[in-house]
Amino acid sequence: MTETLTETLAGIVGAGHVTTDPDVLDGRCVDHTGRYRGRASALVRPGNAEEVTAVLRACRDAGAYVTVQGGRTSLVAGTVPENDDILLSTERLNQIGAVDTVERRVSVGAGVPLAAVQRAASAAGLVFGVDLAARESATIGGMASTNAGGLRTVRYGNMGEQVLGLDIALPDGSVVHRHSQVRRDNTGYDLAALFVGAEGTLGVITALDLRLHPSPTHRVTAICGFADLDGLVDAGRTFRDLDGIAALELIDARASALTAEHLGVAAPVDGAWQLLIELAGDTDQTDRLADALEGAEICGEPAVGVDTAAQQRLWQVRESVAEVLGLFGPPVKFDVSLPLSAIQGFAVQAADLIGTHAPQAIPVLFGHIGEGNLHLNVLRCAPDAEPGLYAAMMALIAGCGGNVSSEHGVGSRKRDYVAMSRTEADIAAMRSVKAAFDPDGFLNPAVLFD
């Protein structure tokens, strides 16, 4: 069956865009962290929406499962196949339309990397509202599928708030074109919102209309040190509601110590916890920053960057964290949302859990404090310690009133814990939606549901 299907797929997309090479498939079947691995029988790379729909029809008719892949930066095994799947890559859906500077929007293919969208927006004097450390490889389609957030969420919101329209190839091979040139369109169901965050379980996003924003003319960036996490959280509450807030990032001193030792990037302030703050607007933001810091319990003076070079040096402290994690082997990652009032207790209890389950491991905590979206990474965690630690950490998150999945999605890694954040009725409703769009269950079968 695989050989026949492969020939059919080659007839759709061209023989050069279908492969069953074991070495190629092996590289495509491991997740971004390197901890989770699956199996696939073929890789197919359609070049347009029509080819995507034809590929889906062929796979459905052949009874083959399909796993959709973009930049493969998922941190929850969201693109790891489990059933000798056909891998459908969106990498050739990489067209970028002309930027509409009047309406501030642009149309792009699902396989376009985030960095390419950012460059196109910047060249037109605009800015795209979502930014990630994986900007060079994360694709816009994948980011919409997981409703990604990132470094600028406190100002612009998640991916869902940047999406103005979508093209979606449905599992039955039909296509939904949801586009509108008007800013208010309340005609029927909001189908675009349904597919954003669905993690590819309902259809394959092939193209998107994206909202762009005016580029601020003034920025000021600062890093402040705090002796305790509660003091940092209190400052975060003040800044997240401030006019002009552009970024609000938590970094723990363990992360800064690692970047200083291994990458030569040291935090410019003292304290067990650091807070990166950026304000942006059409006027100088320096006085606003100083006024907001007036009552904050910071350690010493903040490091402030007014010019671009100084701002980039401060941002390097935050962005180097992602780079240093990989030096210790594949980390165990927890992407969670917590009420701000629960963060101090979570940090203490999470460290205790790690000490119990993986005494040799190194916990590193950072994230987007404005939304309570934290990224806890556990370095040097032995494979046999991971299952027990993961289950215990999910229970802790739920017990703190948090959500087991924030911006990375559920993927396959967290599907067993969805019930910690959703009721039985909620899950049943989601299954009904999945069944309505994909009654055969062949699209991204390992994702979201067990």
Side-chain angles (χ1 to χ4, degrees):
M1 183 187 72
T2 300
E3 183 176 348
T4 301
L5 178 56
T6 302
E7 292 174 354
T8 302
L9 297 177
I12 296 169
V13 304
H17 300 300
V18 178
T19 183
T20 57
D21 185 307
D23 291 334
V24 173
L25 296 180
D26 187 61
R28 294 274 185 155
C29 288
V30 61
D31 87 311
H32 187 69
T33 70
R35 296 189 79 91
Y36 315 116
R37 185 173 291 278
R39 306 184 311 275
S41 56
L43 167 69
V44 56
R45 302 184 303 125
N48 54 51
E50 291 72 23
E51 291 183 357
V52 172
T53 60
V55 166
L56 290 179
R57 280 194 296 267
C59 291
R60 180 199 59 188
D61 293 344
Y65 292 112
V66 174
T67 290
V68 184
Q69 295 188 335
R72 297 185 297 118
T73 57
S74 170
L75 300 175
V76 287
T79 62
V80 177
E82 292 187 355
N83 305 282
D84 289 321
D85 301 11
I86 302 297
L87 302 178
L88 191 161
S89 171
T90 62
E91 64 194 88
R92 293 178 62 218
L93 307 177
N94 56 8
Q95 298 77 24
I96 302 180
V99 174
D100 184 338
T101 57
V102 175
E103 295 296 331
R104 296 200 294 267
R105 60 193 293 161
V106 64
S107 297
V108 305
V112 173
L114 168 60
V117 174
Q118 292 174 328
R119 288 190 289 267
S122 178
L126 299 170
V127 64
F128 182 58
V130 177
D131 191 22
L132 311 170
R135 61 184 66 88
E136 294 292 342
S137 49
T139 61
I140 293 297
M143 291 168 59
S145 291
T146 58
N147 198 16
L151 303 168
R152 304 291 180 184
T153 308
V154 70
R155 183 180 182 92
Y156 299 110
N158 285 9
M159 272 297 295
E161 293 168 80
Q162 321 307 320
V163 175
L164 298 173
L166 290 174
D167 287 341
I168 309 109
L170 300 183
D172 65 1
S174 61
V175 180
V176 170
H177 301 281
R178 176 53 68 95
H179 301 275
S180 181
Q181 297 301 311
V182 299
R183 297 203 170 214
R184 289 291 299 162
D185 185 349
N186 194 27
T187 309
Y189 298 133
D190 188 354
L191 288 180
L194 184 60
F195 288 94
V196 172
E199 301 187 47
T201 58
L202 305 180
V204 180
I205 296 173
T206 61
L208 308 90
D209 294 337
L210 301 175
R211 185 191 311 276
L212 302 177
H213 304 270
S215 184
T217 55
H218 293 76
R219 291 184 184 274
V220 61
T221 309
I223 292 183
C224 308
F226 292 81
D228 67 87
L229 189 50
D230 275 337
L232 184 149
V233 170
D234 286 342
R237 283 194 179 92
T238 298
F239 275 100
R240 69 175 178 175
D241 297 324
L242 199 66
D243 286 343
I245 188 65
L248 201 56
E249 294 292 303
L250 161 74
I251 314 163
D252 74 13
R254 287 181 297 253
S256 298
L258 293 176
T259 60
E261 178 183 355
H262 296 281
L263 302 177
V265 179
V269 295
D270 295 324
W273 304 93
Q274 291 128 33
L275 179 65
L276 184 148
I277 306 159
E278 186 164 279
L279 300 179
D282 294 330
T283 59
D284 187 359
Q285 302 291 303
T286 307
D287 288 343
R288 178 175 287 169
L289 172 69
D291 291 344
L293 284 174
E294 187 68 33
E297 300 176 358
I298 62 177
C299 298
E301 293 296 317
V304 179
V306 177
D307 62 90
T308 301
Q311 291 166 3
Q312 289 175 344
R313 285 194 295 271
L314 294 180
W315 268 106
Q316 193 176 13
V317 176
R318 168 63 177 85
E319 297 210 330
S320 293
V321 175
E323 182 179 351
V324 80
L325 297 178
L327 301 179
F328 293 84
V332 178
K333 291 179 171 287
F334 298 96
D335 163 59
V336 303
S337 290
L338 291 163
L340 294 189
S341 59
I343 288 177
Q344 169 69 42
F346 169 77
V348 172
Q349 294 177 74
D352 290 342
L353 276 182
I354 293 166
T356 299
H357 289 270
Q360 305 304 314
I362 305 171
V364 173
L365 186 65
F366 59 98
H368 320 305
I369 195 67
E371 297 76 51
N373 177 195
L374 302 183
H375 302 307
L376 174 62
N377 284 253
V378 185
L379 313 183
R380 290 179 174 164
C381 180
D384 59 350
E386 180 181 349
L389 173 61
Y390 211 98
M393 194 68 73
M394 291 292 103
L396 172 61
I397 293 160
C400 289
N403 194 322
V404 298
S405 174
S406 185
E407 63 174 342
H408 294 166
V410 172
S412 62
R413 187 64 189 89
K414 292 185 176 182
R415 66 192 180 200
D416 292 339
Y417 306 103
V418 171
M420 291 183 174
S421 295
R422 294 290 181 265
T423 65
E424 290 184 11
D426 219 344
I427 295 171
M430 289 193 290
R431 287 186 180 277
S432 295
V433 173
K434 168 69 171 174
F437 281 96
D438 183 17
D440 298 319
F442 80 96
L443 185 58
N444 275 20
V447 173
L448 194 55
F449 303 111
D450 55 22

